[in-house]
Amino acid sequence: MRSLTPIITGLAIYFGITTASTHNVHQEQRRDPQDWSKVNYDFSGVDFNKINYGAPADPVQPPPAPVPAPVVPDTTITSPPIVEKPVDNGGANGGANGGSDGDMTIAITNNHGQLLSLAFDSNAGAPGFRGSPQPTTLAAAATTSYAVPSGWAGRINVGKMDHADNSKIEGSFYGAGNGDIDISYVDGYSVPITCSVGGKVVTGCNIELFDQGCNAPDTPQMGPDGQVALCSNSARVLNDGPPSQFFAACAGAAYTFPNDNAANVGMLQETLMECCIGTSCGESEQQKAKAQKRDIKSPRANAPSLLPRSRKRHAGPHASKHHA
C-alpha cells in the first residue's frame, strides 16, 4: 500500500500554514482592549499654553439687524373732520347766529322740562333769520338765540312736535326803537311762553292751558307719544274774538284771536328779546292785570292800565297775517 505520509504531511503543511494565518487574524480580532488603568495621566509637566490647538472656530454671529425703510416726508394734506353744525345755529349757550350790532336778538330758554321743537318762518318779502336756521330742537333747561336784521318780520313756532298750530313767538324789527314782540296762540297752543325786554316781562302768558282740557270748538292734536301735544284754536277765524273757553285765561296777554292786540308790545328801544318757555317764567303786566281784574270782579275800565296798544304791527295787521 502506497504510503500516505507525504500526502498527509503536505496537507498538514498546507493546512498548518493556513490555520496559523487564520489564527493570527483571529488573535488580532480578539486582542484584549487597552487597560486604561495603566495609562499615565500625569500632566504636571505639560505647558498647556504652548499647545497648538489649531485655529479657533468662528464665533456664531447674530443675524444682521433689519435695515429701516427710508423715511419719506408726508406731503398729504389732511382736511379736518366734517362736523355737522347744530341746525339751530345758536347752541345751548346762545350765539345769536352771528348777528351784528344792528340786529335784533331773540333769546329762548326752555324751562318746560322736556325737549321742544323750534321752527322758523319769515313774512314774504322780509329778510330771514341770520344763519337761515332749520327746524331743530331745544333741550330742557337749554338756551339758544337767533338774530334778525332790520326789515325782518316773522315768527318762531315752539312745541312738543313740529306743527303749524304750535305756540309762537312773533316779532318785527325796523331798527333800534322800532321793534316789537308778542306771543301768539291764534293758531293754537302747545306750551306757555312769555318774553321780557330790559328785565321786564312785556308779553305772553305762563298759564298751562292744558290743565282745563282742550275741547270743542277747539281741536286737540295728538303727539307721537299718543298724548295731546297742542290745541288748535277755533277763534282763528274770528278777527275780534271772543276767545274760546280754553284760551280765555290768556286773552290780552297772548294773542288768542287775530285782533287781540293788547298782547303786542312795540316801539321797543332794546334789541334783545328774552323769551321763556314754561309756567315758572315770569308773568307779563297784561297777565297780572287780567288776574287782578278777575280777583276784584270789576269792569275792564277799572283795571290797571296795560302797556300801550298803539304800536307798529308785524309788517301788516295781525289779522291779515293769520288769514293769509
Side-chain angles (χ1 to χ4, degrees):
M1 181 176 198
R2 192 177 180 177
S3 175
L4 298 175
T5 301
I7 296 172
I8 295 172
T9 301
L11 291 173
I13 293 172
Y14 174 78
F15 286 107
I17 295 174
T18 302
T19 303
S21 299
T22 303
H23 175 74
N24 290 337
V25 172
H26 289 171
Q27 287 288 61
E28 286 294 327
Q29 292 177 347
R30 292 195 303 268
R31 180 176 296 170
D32 292 335
Q34 177 69 44
D35 185 357
W36 298 102
S37 63
K38 298 178 180 181
V39 177
N40 182 9
Y41 293 99
D42 183 7
F43 299 105
S44 59
V46 179
D47 186 353
F48 287 95
N49 293 324
K50 295 181 179 180
I51 298 176
N52 182 6
Y53 293 99
D58 292 337
V60 178
Q61 299 295 327
V67 178
V71 178
V72 179
D74 186 4
T75 59
T76 304
I77 299 176
T78 303
S79 300
I82 298 174
V83 178
E84 184 177 357
K85 295 181 179 179
V87 292
D88 66 6
N89 294 299
N93 297 317
N97 291 319
S100 67
D101 290 341
D103 290 345
M104 181 173 81
T105 299
I106 302 173
I108 307 172
T109 298
N110 180 3
N111 285 350
H112 195 60
Q114 66 183 102
L115 187 72
L116 294 176
S117 168
L118 303 180
F120 310 89
D121 185 29
S122 298
N123 285 6
F129 291 82
R130 297 290 190 192
S132 301
Q134 300 300 307
T136 185
T137 56
L138 183 62
T143 297
T144 188
S145 58
Y146 301 90
V148 295
S150 180
W152 172 83
R155 60 209 57 84
I156 301 174
N157 291 7
V158 184
K160 302 166 188 174
M161 61 180 180
D162 186 4
H163 197 284
D165 289 354
N166 279 339
S167 302
K168 295 175 175 62
I169 301 169
E170 297 183 321
S172 64
F173 180 64
Y174 298 94
N178 197 3
D180 69 22
I181 193 79
D182 72 68
I183 299 303
S184 176
Y185 301 156
V186 171
D187 292 322
Y189 167 86
S190 54
V191 290
I193 309 175
T194 62
C195 292
S196 302
V197 177
K200 179 180 180 180
V201 181
V202 296
T203 185
C205 182
N206 68 358
I207 299 173
E208 178 54 89
L209 296 181
F210 283 125
D211 289 345
Q212 58 189 337
C214 177
N215 302 301
D218 304 311
T219 306
Q221 306 289 346
M222 309 305 290
D225 60 357
Q227 303 297 314
V228 176
L230 64 92
C231 184
S232 295
N233 190 350
S234 60
R236 72 178 74 192
V237 297
L238 305 175
N239 285 347
D240 297 320
S244 68
Q245 182 178 355
F246 179 86
F247 290 91
C250 286
Y255 272 91
T256 58
F257 53 88
N259 286 340
D260 195 1
N261 295 323
N264 180 256
V265 58
M267 306 303 293
L268 297 170
Q269 297 297 319
E270 295 85 350
T271 57
L272 174 61
M273 314 297 163
E274 297 178 288
C275 299
C276 180
I277 308 165
T279 57
S280 64
C281 303
E283 292 181 325
S284 65
E285 294 299 317
Q286 300 95 313
Q287 185 179 339
K288 291 178 183 178
K290 190 176 182 67
Q292 188 175 13
K293 178 182 176 182
R294 287 197 303 267
D295 291 341
I296 63 176
K297 301 182 184 303
S298 64
R300 186 178 184 86
N302 294 331
S305 60
L306 305 179
L307 293 173
R309 301 186 188 184
S310 176
R311 55 184 60 89
K312 189 176 182 66
R313 299 292 178 78
H314 303 174
H318 199 277
S320 299
K321 177 171 58 179
H322 286 282
H323 283 295

